[in-house]
Amino acid sequence: EVQLQQSGPEVGRPGSSVKISCKASGYTFTDYVMNWVKQSPGQGLEWIGWIDPEYGSTDYAEKFKKKATLTADTSSNTAYIQLSSLTSEDTATYFCARDVGFWGPGTMVTVSS
Amino acid sequence: DIQMTQSPSSLPASLGDRVTITCRASQDIGNYLRWFQQKPGKSPRLMIYGATNLAAGVPSRFSGSRSGSDYSLTINSLESEDMAIYYCLQHNEYPLTFGSGTKLEIK
């Protein structure tokens, strides 16, 4: 059974960084790209970017190129997203999604001083 | 970037109704169109892929169709469990782009 287990809610201070994890199981981690999607409170879905875990190659939506960094650890079958220089605009739920077909449960990030 | 114009934004409907949600693509996306259902506090669930193919475990009252650059999700005989927000997604090219969502609610 495919599972994507995401880390728990985060609270970050303005200007700081947070790193969210997405642990995959039930399939070969390197066979699928992992996408990340942002959903601000009460809003729609925004694609952040993808990472190919096998090669470490990445691609980002323009607005997230200076905000998000995607990495993957094939030894633990875990993908990560780091969000830097946090502002209130980063308060949102972040989803990992295997091939944008199977989604993790989401991780809520709250930016607050 | 490819724009996905989704309509309506809100759709009041009664149980047993047939409803249709539409997304229009600003450029050719072929059949690289998916539909997702999202319930409050949950992650999106894939309903339709390849514009017309039912995802595993999705009830047969759901269907997808395409007419040119217009893509539609139809639900026949609406049930209470179908009340949710529906999004389309184009994955023909990056950046991937979603429609703005349609909130399906009981009239």
Side-chain angles (χ1 to χ4, degrees):
Chain A
E1 177 193 7
V2 174
Q3 289 194 4
L4 297 175
Q5 184 178 351
Q6 293 190 232
S7 50
E10 297 271 1
V11 178
R13 296 196 181 277
S16 70
S17 297
V18 296
K19 191 171 186 178
I20 300 166
S21 66
C22 172
K23 184 173 176 59
S25 60
Y27 72 98
T28 302
F29 184 57
T30 51
D31 281 355
Y32 295 85
V33 300
M34 190 69 77
N35 288 266
W36 290 87
V37 176
K38 176 184 180 182
Q39 187 168 40
S40 300
Q43 302 300 308
L45 302 166
E46 277 187 281
W47 179 75
I48 296 171
W50 62 258
I51 183 166
D52 182 336
E54 182 171 10
Y55 300 106
S57 50
T58 57
D59 189 22
Y60 299 87
E62 192 63 38
K63 72 176 285 188
F64 291 104
K65 284 185 176 178
K66 294 184 178 180
K67 173 61 61 179
T69 302
L70 305 183
T71 57
D73 179 356
T74 55
S75 68
S76 62
N77 291 344
T78 303
Y80 299 91
I81 180 170
Q82 179 166 319
L83 303 168
S84 61
S85 303
L86 292 174
T87 72
S88 59
E89 297 292 307
D90 300 316
T91 293
T93 298
Y94 293 85
F95 296 98
C96 59
R98 189 195 80 166
D99 204 30
V100 212
F102 188 87
W103 296 55
T107 296
M108 179 70 191
V109 173
T110 303
V111 181
S112 174
S113 54
Chain B
D1 298 0
I2 296 175
Q3 307 302 315
M4 300 301 297
T5 302
Q6 186 170 344
S7 61
S9 57
S10 176
L11 183 52
S14 300
L15 299 182
D17 281 356
R18 179 175 186 263
V19 298
T20 297
I21 300 166
T22 298
C23 275
R24 174 168 290 177
S26 63
Q27 302 173 36
D28 179 40
I29 60 168
N31 285 332
Y32 291 96
L33 189 286
R34 294 179 173 179
W35 289 99
F36 295 90
Q37 175 194 70
Q38 188 178 31
K39 295 184 177 180
K42 300 293 187 181
S43 56
R45 173 193 179 191
L46 179 65
M47 306 300 281
I48 300 287
Y49 66 94
T52 62
N53 301 293
L54 210 60
V58 175
S60 58
R61 63 181 179 275
F62 289 84
S63 63
S65 62
R66 174 190 176 186
S67 175
S69 60
D70 290 340
Y71 299 81
S72 296
L73 172 71
T74 297
I75 311 172
N76 286 303
S77 192
L78 207 57
E79 298 190 8
S80 57
E81 67 181 29
D82 302 333
M83 301 308 165
I85 299 176
Y86 292 84
Y87 296 94
C88 64
L89 165 72
Q90 71 78 21
H91 61 107
N92 181 63
E93 66 177 49
Y94 291 104
L96 305 186
T97 46
F98 292 89
S100 54
T102 295
K103 186 174 185 179
L104 185 54
E105 48 198 1
I106 295 179
K107 188 185 296 182

